[in-house]
Amino acid sequence: MKLISLYRVELRRLLLSKGVWLVAVLSLCAPLLGYSLYPSIWMESMTGDYIGNPVLAGTTVGAVFWAVLAMKESNRVYRNNTSVLTDAIASPLSLSTARVIAMMTISMLVTCVCSVIYLPYTMVKMEYLFQADFYFANFLVFMLPTWWISILLAESFYQLSSRMEIAVILYILLVCLSLMGVTSSGYFEKWINPMVIAFSDGFVTWWPLRMGLYTRVTWLCIAIGAWCISLLAIRKYQKGLLLSVGIGLKKVSVLVGAIVFVVLGVLLWVKQPFIDHGPDEWILEDEMVWSSGTISEAHYTIETHPRTGTITAKAEYEVKRPYDGEAELLLNPGYDIKSITYDGEEIAFWTSDEHVDGHRATYFEVPGGSKNGGKLLTVEYSGFPTLAKVMAWFSVQDVVDEEYILLGGETLFPMTEYYSIGKSFLEITIPDDLTPYLDHVPMTEYLDNQDGTRTWSSECSVYVRDFSAAKYEMATFMAGDTEVKFSYSEVYHDAVEEIGAVQAVKDVLEYCTAHYGKYDWIDKNSLILLQKGAIVTGGYAHKGVSTWFESVLSPSTLADAEKGASATDVFIHEMVHQWWGDLGLQCEDDGLWSCEGLTVYTTYRIAKERYGELYAKQYYVDQWQAAVDAQNRNFYNRHPEYFELLPETYQARIRMTNEGTNKYMRMPLVILKAQELVGGEDAMDEILREMYACRSHYGFNYGYEAFSYDDFLKFCGLTKEELNLD
Amino acid sequence: MKIDVNNITMIYPSGKKALQDISVSAESPEFIGVLGPNGAGKTTLMKLLIAGLLPTKGEILLNDKPLLEQEKQLKAQLGYLPQSFGLYDELTVWEFLDYMAALKGLRGKNSKAAIEKVLECTNMAEQRKVRIRNLSGGQRQRVGIAQALLGEPKLIILDEPTVGLDPEERVKFRNIFSEMAQNKIVLLSTHIVEDVQAVCNRVFVIYNGQLLYDGSPSKLVAKTTGHVGVYLSKLGDDTPEGCQIVSKVNVSEGIQCRIVAESLPEFATAVAPTLEDAYLYCIHKEGRE
């Protein structure tokens, strides 16, 4: 009988099984775990919270359900002795194949239903940040293939062992391998819990999905290969494992399929283009190389290919004096150097397997050395930028995507310490709807290529830390005597308008500069405030530039009532963190005292200026007092002996509430009390100004010390007892 | 259809010799009863015939071609009821038969008609919508028979098909099997000699893995003439040497014993043999040898 007929039969039978329906319903519920209990993406964003986490939780937990079903369905046929009837009229191999394909079909239907069920809630929660294609792609890339992989592996284990308990043990071991990761390439081992670093709301990159799809295809090949091998091991003529395999080997097509898929899976794993293949240990180049070679000018021409995520590039160096001997070029390990020419003639080069500072080193020697100067050295290279192994767990550093490009350092052009470089110029071609920033400064000159791309050019430094391009909008305005360029993703256009973000930035800059001192990163009366994508960890500030986390404009952040009375106030709160926290004065966090208290207090003061005393009292002071009173009234806070008797989850919940109240409500009240005791608002402003002036001691520098509550008391000349609210 | 079993020997990995050098052949139409005590090798022979086992020695031919090369053809023409089997409990009788019909390649109207037919045959029409988990043991056995008869297979192998059925149903089923054997090969393994006598045109007697008899029941009976007798015995009397008691019946004069023996004792009166006598005589004779 043809396989397709058997498939129809099995599909119909499985759809009549209550077990299948139970697994379907449980799998549909599994994404719920992602909202709170099993969040996989630790960097917060709306896309991560409402798409990534539910899909990944559903992927992992659902995969276990489908595996259990697969093993149970295989086992019951033999345990119930139904196989003696079915095997007599159909080939067990064909029946097994039909059963697996039928199960995969049902899991596909469940994936579709799942994506539809969660759609309305996700759309409502994500508001304008919802992207339908990204939403459905998550289900197709993560959930469906992982469920298939799980079914195939579970079925393979059962068919190989013919014992339910052994199959379950093997499956659990493989799940543990995935959850724990035992090798340095652990991100690839995560077959059941795909690794996603972050999803960005405004700077949408498909990079995590590309990597997800690649790992899924890799594991799918391995799983199909394993399943084909297990088909060969299906017990025939009441023989044991080895004799059955011996008989099964006569099925040449299955054998060939097994070999092809296993080899393909291994090749895909070994050749994966996302994470650096270099050794776990880098060579750290701590010795300074004497740059005896001289390059008068360097021209870098880079073409980005967002569809493939690759670049092709050319670095041209006007060599004034070549380096005597073998010089080193460092490039992203994902790139291949096509050629190195000197004065139009190709010269020999070799690439090392070792990684210097995490980058692959290529060595070349200019013929004639220092005596053969005044000619053009050209390096042509291309490829898909890989992530450094150590970074792969928590950050995407380099990405070329249709809506977001991020390249820097040796991922942009080769670096060398063997040559000193006079001037450098960068020409980079990107999609015409992206706005580029070179070291966080907007590029201005471009040539429209009339093919959907623009070529931007600019002089650049010898080491470009960060080239980024996205669909940015920029608001330029004056705050006092400073020209501010406030850049944010165009996705947040309406939010920026709605909350009056531009005016808020202006107000905060003016207020804080006037009351506490000039913002550190203003340079020559100019400041660029640049919003960065959530996929990039860490902030950045330098003269004239300060970057913001993407979440500052996220609806979930702006809805945080603890930080401010309205979305605008919350935004102001986040902006004030530039003085207290983030890149300003760093405060110790002792559960009560932290930068949050200072920031909420300043937000209150700005609100008082913007909206008047009544507003500030009603929406800030009264709210703080009410929260502190409620905290004081709480039975368990008054009777710690009963608190200790509560279950751990309830204790944790109360502790969390208390911590929030202490930082965001009690501490501003304490500062307000300190304000009264030191002589009013002006006196407190003076104290805060003095505190801020000490930020170099308490700010980020080597061996910095956080500003503590005791420090605050010293500045105020007060004691803890005087500021006691109880 | 034609099946040839040539010098088959089957030894299990445990060392147990289940069949020894058996050769038989059958060509449709034929209704063959397979008789033998427990452990004689009947089920092993059946499993070999459905390609569920590989013989240690010898070969089986289906239509003059090795069975292993003809597995697909065999499966397409086979109706098999094993001694013990499982069903999908969550399905109804109809759904299960529909599933089996689909596995057998029956489609649409053909499938429905075939299912209706076997439901009628097996007296399960009223239970068509009942879930299998709710059926009695006898009803499950009838579903097993029904699936074996589905699609009018050319080779029907029935291993103890009437276990669990009441006498009336047993008689009905043996008649159904007989009707179905018109242009087929039916192999019926059973302990109930009466059934074989009633419907089979040929009988295999297997004992200790050996084929003791292959021929018509009447010839087997004829061969036993003069070896079956009755005598009156008292309670506590030993069985006469060289005899095997077939049955004991309490009568007013004492206990009437029916025996089979190579040569009957003088006190026994020879009677006309039945197939059961013949079968027991066959086994008894082999045991003595």
Side-chain angles (χ1 to χ4, degrees):
Chain A
M1 187 190 292
K2 286 179 183 175
L3 183 63
I4 200 151
S5 307
L6 284 175
Y7 160 73
R8 279 194 202 132
V9 171
E10 278 297 317
L11 183 63
R12 200 169 48 180
R13 182 183 70 75
L14 286 172
L15 286 172
L16 292 168
S17 162
K18 277 185 182 169
V20 171
W21 284 98
L22 177 68
V23 165
V25 170
L26 289 173
S27 301
L28 289 174
C29 296
L32 293 173
L33 298 172
Y35 292 120
S36 56
L37 289 174
Y38 187 69
S40 312
I41 305 173
W42 57 273
M43 286 178 75
E44 281 185 24
S45 69
M46 299 289 275
T47 314
D49 291 349
Y50 292 103
I51 297 180
N53 283 332
V55 169
L56 291 173
T59 297
T60 305
V61 179
V64 175
F65 293 142
W66 287 103
V68 171
L69 179 72
M71 288 188 276
K72 191 179 156 290
E73 279 297 323
S74 293
N75 185 49
R76 67 178 296 209
V77 176
Y78 294 98
R79 196 192 59 203
N80 294 353
N81 222 5
T82 318
S83 58
V84 293
L85 297 182
T86 54
D87 291 357
I89 51 176
S91 149
L93 191 143
S94 303
L95 267 175
S96 171
T97 307
R99 188 168 56 242
V100 166
I101 298 173
M103 229 179 285
M104 287 164 76
T105 306
I106 296 170
S107 69
M108 186 173 71
L109 294 172
V110 173
T111 308
C112 295
V113 173
C114 193
S115 65
V116 172
I117 284 178
Y118 288 90
L119 181 64
Y121 178 73
T122 312
M123 286 175 76
V124 168
K125 292 305 261 185
M126 289 188 65
E127 301 176 29
Y128 59 92
L129 295 175
F130 178 78
Q131 281 199 32
D133 54 352
F134 199 79
Y135 172 80
F136 288 111
N138 265 268
F139 284 91
L140 290 177
V141 167
F142 293 115
M143 188 175 275
L144 183 59
T146 307
W147 288 0
W148 283 359
I149 291 164
S150 194
I151 290 170
L152 288 166
L153 289 175
E155 187 77 12
S156 308
F157 292 148
Y158 184 83
Q159 281 173 178
L160 283 170
S161 63
S162 271
R163 297 269 297 272
M164 183 72 172
E165 60 275 22
I166 294 175
V168 168
I169 290 168
L170 290 172
Y171 183 81
I172 289 173
L173 284 176
L174 204 66
V175 170
C176 290
L177 175 83
S178 177
L179 294 178
M180 294 187 290
V182 292
T183 70
S184 58
S185 58
Y187 26 79
F188 249 74
E189 289 163 15
K190 295 190 168 296
W191 66 271
I192 198 169
N193 55 328
M195 188 183 79
V196 175
I197 297 160
F199 279 143
S200 173
D201 299 326
F203 302 88
V204 174
T205 167
W206 291 75
W207 195 95
L209 272 83
R210 279 187 194 202
M211 182 167 164
L213 184 62
Y214 191 95
T215 57
R216 297 308 88 193
V217 170
T218 304
W219 271 102
L220 210 48
C221 287
I222 293 170
I224 294 172
W227 177 67
C228 286
I229 291 169
S230 78
L231 282 180
L232 300 174
I234 286 180
R235 307 299 188 268
K236 285 200 88 179
Y237 311 123
Q238 294 188 5
K239 302 283 184 194
L241 173 64
L242 293 177
L243 287 173
S244 295
V245 171
I247 295 163
L249 286 173
K250 289 173 190 163
K251 288 269 176 192
V252 179
S253 57
V254 180
L255 180 65
V256 170
I259 294 168
V260 166
F261 278 106
V262 169
V263 169
L264 195 60
V266 171
L267 277 177
L268 285 170
W269 189 314
V270 173
K271 298 281 181 189
Q272 58 84 14
F274 298 92
I275 314 289
D276 176 20
H277 289 279
D280 294 339
E281 298 287 326
W282 293 352
I283 297 171
L284 293 173
E285 204 166 62
D286 48 2
E287 284 179 27
M288 283 296 291
V289 179
W290 181 52
S291 308
S292 63
T294 311
I295 288 170
S296 51
E297 276 188 17
H299 293 261
Y300 306 111
T301 312
I302 298 164
E303 231 178 294
T304 59
H305 310 291
R307 280 198 173 180
T308 53
T310 57
I311 68 158
T312 48
K314 187 162 72 173
E316 291 173 305
Y317 303 98
E318 288 174 18
V319 180
K320 200 170 170 186
R321 187 177 62 181
Y323 180 83
D324 278 318
E326 208 168 54
E328 176 192 83
L329 287 177
L330 295 182
L331 258 180
N332 183 291
Y335 294 162
D336 289 320
I337 291 184
K338 192 178 160 194
S339 68
I340 299 180
T341 59
Y342 190 68
D343 193 24
E345 295 291 319
E346 286 216 5
I347 58 173
F349 66 92
W350 65 278
T351 301
S352 167
D353 287 336
E354 291 178 337
H355 283 40
V356 180
D357 293 342
H359 299 284
R360 197 153 62 184
T362 298
Y363 298 93
F364 70 98
E365 190 174 344
V366 171
S370 57
K371 291 171 190 164
N372 189 17
K375 288 165 187 163
L376 193 68
L377 175 74
T378 307
V379 181
E380 286 188 80
Y381 56 98
S382 61
F384 187 94
T386 57
L387 290 192
K389 225 178 225 177
V390 289
M391 302 296 284
W393 289 100
F394 55 88
S395 181
V396 178
Q397 288 300 303
D398 303 294
V399 55
V400 177
D401 225 322
E402 285 181 354
E403 293 188 37
Y404 191 49
I405 295 172
L406 180 66
L407 296 165
E410 292 87 340
T411 306
L412 211 50
F413 47 75
M415 305 301 297
T416 180
E417 289 185 353
Y418 292 73
Y419 283 88
S420 61
I421 300 175
K423 285 185 172 178
S424 299
F425 298 89
L426 175 69
E427 256 185 30
I428 186 162
T429 303
I430 58 172
D432 61 3
D433 54 350
L434 303 188
T435 310
Y437 283 75
L438 189 60
D439 277 333
H440 308 102
V441 177
M443 293 176 82
T444 50
E445 289 182 24
Y446 68 85
L447 181 72
D448 201 329
N449 299 320
Q450 305 295 328
D451 61 352
T453 65
R454 283 178 184 171
T455 301
W456 296 78
S457 55
S458 169
E459 187 174 344
C460 64
S461 60
V462 173
Y463 182 84
V464 171
R465 180 191 162 93
D466 183 296
F467 170 84
S468 61
K471 291 179 178 174
Y472 275 115
E473 278 185 9
M474 186 162 68
T476 307
F477 55 91
M478 295 300 291
D481 58 356
T482 303
E483 185 191 50
V484 180
K485 287 177 178 168
F486 172 37
S487 294
Y488 49 89
S489 163
E490 68 171 25
V491 168
Y492 297 105
H493 173 85
D494 290 346
V496 167
E497 296 266 309
E498 205 173 302
I499 65 171
V502 172
Q503 186 60 44
V505 170
K506 188 173 182 302
D507 289 353
V508 173
L509 275 169
E510 286 175 354
Y511 178 90
C512 290
T513 305
H515 289 77
Y516 310 137
K518 197 174 176 184
Y519 185 54
D520 267 343
W521 315 109
I522 294 173
D523 184 47
K524 294 175 189 164
N525 293 335
S526 144
L527 175 67
I528 294 164
L529 287 172
L530 183 66
Q531 189 188 23
K532 300 284 281 181
I535 60 165
V536 187
T537 51
Y540 170 81
H542 193 62
K543 281 185 177 178
V545 174
S546 179
T547 62
W548 281 12
F549 294 116
E550 181 182 347
S551 58
V552 77
L553 285 167
S554 164
S556 59
T557 306
L558 297 177
D560 189 347
E562 280 189 331
K563 293 177 176 176
S566 65
T568 310
D569 288 8
V570 174
F571 180 73
I572 288 171
H573 173 106
E574 299 301 343
M575 180 71 194
V576 170
H577 266 307
Q578 300 286 323
W579 271 262
W580 311 126
D582 285 0
L583 300 159
L585 183 79
Q586 300 299 313
C587 295
E588 189 181 78
D589 187 344
D590 66 2
L592 173 69
W593 170 259
S594 74
C595 283
E596 293 302 338
L598 280 171
T599 307
V600 174
Y601 170 78
T602 302
T603 308
Y604 147 74
R605 292 286 304 279
I606 294 171
K608 195 174 167 189
E609 269 203 15
R610 282 169 70 104
Y611 315 118
E613 192 163 353
L614 190 64
Y615 175 94
K617 183 176 179 305
Q618 187 179 348
Y619 291 108
Y620 284 86
V621 181
D622 290 352
Q623 300 299 323
W624 300 339
Q625 192 61 57
V628 170
D629 289 346
Q631 187 185 37
N632 291 341
R633 279 198 308 273
N634 184 287
F635 175 80
Y636 292 104
N637 288 333
R638 286 187 289 120
H639 299 282
E641 66 274 20
Y642 291 106
F643 175 79
E644 297 298 330
L645 299 175
L646 285 174
E648 187 52 45
T649 46
Y650 288 94
Q651 285 189 21
R653 205 177 294 170
I654 292 172
R655 269 193 221 107
M656 208 163 78
T657 308
N658 280 344
E659 193 174 318
T661 306
N662 285 340
K663 284 183 176 179
Y664 292 95
M665 310 288 176
R666 185 177 284 273
M667 199 61 220
L669 271 184
V670 170
I671 298 171
L672 205 59
K673 191 170 182 184
Q675 177 189 296
E676 283 171 25
L677 294 173
V678 296
E681 288 182 347
D682 291 345
M684 180 50 78
D685 287 346
E686 193 51 41
I687 289 167
L688 294 178
R689 172 184 281 279
E690 284 172 26
M691 278 166 53
Y692 185 64
C694 297
R695 64 190 175 283
S696 58
H697 181 64
Y698 295 103
F700 275 124
N701 51 37
Y702 287 108
Y704 88 93
E705 186 182 332
F707 192 88
S708 68
Y709 188 37
D710 287 337
D711 294 328
F712 174 71
L713 292 170
K714 271 184 214 161
F715 269 84
C716 295
L718 298 169
T719 62
K720 272 184 189 171
E721 289 70 28
E722 286 176 288
L723 295 181
N724 193 354
L725 297 180
D726 301 326
Chain B
M1 174 175 267
K2 189 183 168 201
I3 292 178
D4 294 295
V5 175
N6 299 332
N7 308 106
I8 283 290
T9 295
M10 180 69 209
I11 304 169
Y12 284 106
S14 62
K16 188 196 168 191
K17 225 172 196 182
L19 291 176
Q20 296 175 56
D21 200 24
I22 287 189
S23 295
V24 286
S25 63
E27 196 167 352
S28 53
E30 209 146 28
F31 197 137
I32 303 165
V34 184
L35 292 174
N38 285 338
K42 303 189 297 289
T43 299
T44 301
L45 176 64
M46 303 245 163
K47 283 182 178 173
L48 284 164
L49 290 173
I50 63 155
L53 282 175
L54 281 183
T56 312
K57 274 183 198 168
E59 63 172 356
I60 300 173
L61 303 177
L62 179 71
N63 296 331
D64 298 324
K65 287 179 183 167
L67 183 65
L68 294 181
E69 291 172 15
Q70 298 283 304
E71 265 195 69
K72 275 187 186 173
Q73 288 84 339
L74 172 74
K75 286 178 191 296
Q77 302 174 72
L78 179 66
Y80 175 54
L81 178 72
Q83 212 167 8
S84 65
F85 58 89
L87 306 169
Y88 287 118
D89 285 350
E90 75 276 17
L91 303 184
T92 63
V93 171
W94 178 277
E95 285 164 354
F96 178 74
L97 292 175
D98 194 29
Y99 172 76
M100 295 303 284
L103 284 187
K104 289 186 173 190
L106 299 173
R107 301 243 184 296
K109 284 180 184 173
N110 288 344
S111 169
K112 277 185 184 172
I115 296 169
E116 287 290 355
K117 187 177 175 187
V118 293
L119 280 174
E120 288 299 325
C121 281
T122 54
N123 206 17
M124 288 294 288
E126 282 178 19
Q127 279 82 29
R128 69 180 65 206
K129 288 181 181 171
V130 178
R131 299 230 174 263
I132 286 171
R133 76 165 70 89
N134 297 326
L135 296 180
S136 68
Q139 287 171 326
R140 291 173 75 92
Q141 187 68 13
R142 281 190 269 160
V143 175
I145 295 169
Q147 66 80 31
L149 303 182
L150 258 178
E152 303 201 354
K154 289 182 179 168
L155 173 64
I156 301 174
I157 295 179
L158 306 162
D159 198 354
E160 302 288 357
T162 51
V163 170
L165 302 180
D166 60 45
E168 192 188 343
E169 278 181 322
R170 211 190 78 222
V171 171
K172 186 186 165 195
F173 273 114
R174 80 181 182 206
N175 292 333
I176 291 167
F177 299 149
S178 174
E179 280 167 27
M180 296 200 86
Q182 295 307 316
N183 54 353
K184 301 176 179 69
I185 298 175
V186 178
L187 217 67
L188 171 71
S189 163
T190 179
H191 286 103
I192 304 164
V193 182
E194 187 192 337
D195 288 350
V196 176
Q197 187 165 25
V199 294
C200 297
N201 65 323
R202 191 172 164 189
V203 63
F204 295 160
V205 179
I206 297 176
Y207 181 67
N208 273 346
Q210 289 176 318
L211 184 67
L212 300 185
Y213 178 78
D214 172 11
S216 69
S218 55
K219 277 187 183 165
L220 182 61
V221 172
K223 278 171 76 175
T224 316
T225 305
H227 299 287
V228 183
V230 293
Y231 70 93
L232 275 172
S233 143
K234 288 175 187 167
L235 196 66
D237 281 357
D238 292 335
T239 306
E241 200 179 328
C243 300
Q244 186 179 349
I245 292 181
V246 179
S247 65
K248 287 182 177 181
V249 181
N250 284 318
V251 292
S252 55
E253 295 86 2
I255 301 167
Q256 190 184 60
C257 296
R258 188 178 180 95
I259 56 170
V260 291
E262 185 59 36
S263 53
L264 292 170
E266 288 175 3
F267 52 81
T269 313
V271 291
T274 63
L275 185 61
E276 187 174 357
D277 297 330
Y279 161 64
L280 283 172
Y281 173 67
C282 198
I283 302 282
H284 170 73
K285 191 178 168 188
E286 177 64 21
R288 277 176 53 223
E289 283 169 5

